């Protein structure tokens, strides 16, 4: 189920990993850890996207020139990280995603 959290991160950003975490957090620390990482990564990207949209709005659309390429790069990075960590999770590894891995460990308690 840990790989499902990473696949759902790409498709459903926050909702998919949240569902996996809610359903499996009491059953498996391993699945909870990977679902929490996926959830935090999706949340971070969503927040950056919202801030970027607000910046674009405040600059009357001129910010789109900066925000659009950033969002494309973040989307690509999200897909790459989700694939790499998802494959490692499928192999039973407690792989940490950049930045959110340590936070997820603290939240899940592993």
């Amino acid at each position: 189920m840990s790989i499902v959290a990473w696949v759902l991160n790409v498709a459903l950003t926050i909702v998919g990993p949240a569902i996996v975490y809610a359903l499996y957090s009491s059953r498996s620390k391993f699945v909870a850890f990977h679902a929490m990482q996926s959830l935090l990564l999706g949340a971070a990207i969503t927040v950056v996207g919202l801030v970027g949209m607000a910046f674009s709005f405040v600059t009357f659309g001129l910010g789109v020139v900066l925000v659009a390429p950033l969002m494309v790069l973040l989307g690509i990075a999200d897909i790459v990280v989700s694939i790499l960590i998802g494959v490692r999770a499928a192999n039973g590894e407690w792989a940490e995603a950049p930045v959110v891995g340590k936070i997820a460990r603290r939240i899940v308690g592993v």
Side-chain angles (χ1 to χ4, degrees), residues 21-99:
Y21 182 78
L23 293 175
Y24 287 89
S25 63
S26 62
R27 297 183 203 172
S28 168
K29 290 278 190 185
F30 181 75
V31 174
F33 169 66
H34 282 288
M36 182 55 68
Q37 282 190 105
S38 182
L39 176 64
L40 291 173
L41 183 63
I45 289 174
T46 300
V47 167
V48 169
L50 292 173
V51 169
M53 287 188 331
F55 178 71
S56 296
F57 180 75
V58 169
T59 60
F60 301 104
L62 296 175
V64 172
V65 174
L66 297 173
V67 172
L70 174 66
M71 292 310 298
V72 169
L73 290 175
L74 279 175
I76 292 169
D78 181 35
I79 291 168
V80 169
V81 168
S82 294
I83 291 170
L84 293 175
I85 303 296
V87 167
R88 292 178 68 186
N91 290 328
E93 294 181 41
W94 289 77
E96 285 188 8
V99 181

Side-chain angles (χ1 to χ4, degrees), residues 8-9 12-19 38-39 42-44 46:
L8 290 176
N9 178 39
L12 300 172
T13 311
I14 297 173
V15 176
I19 291 170
S38 182
L39 176 64
T46 300

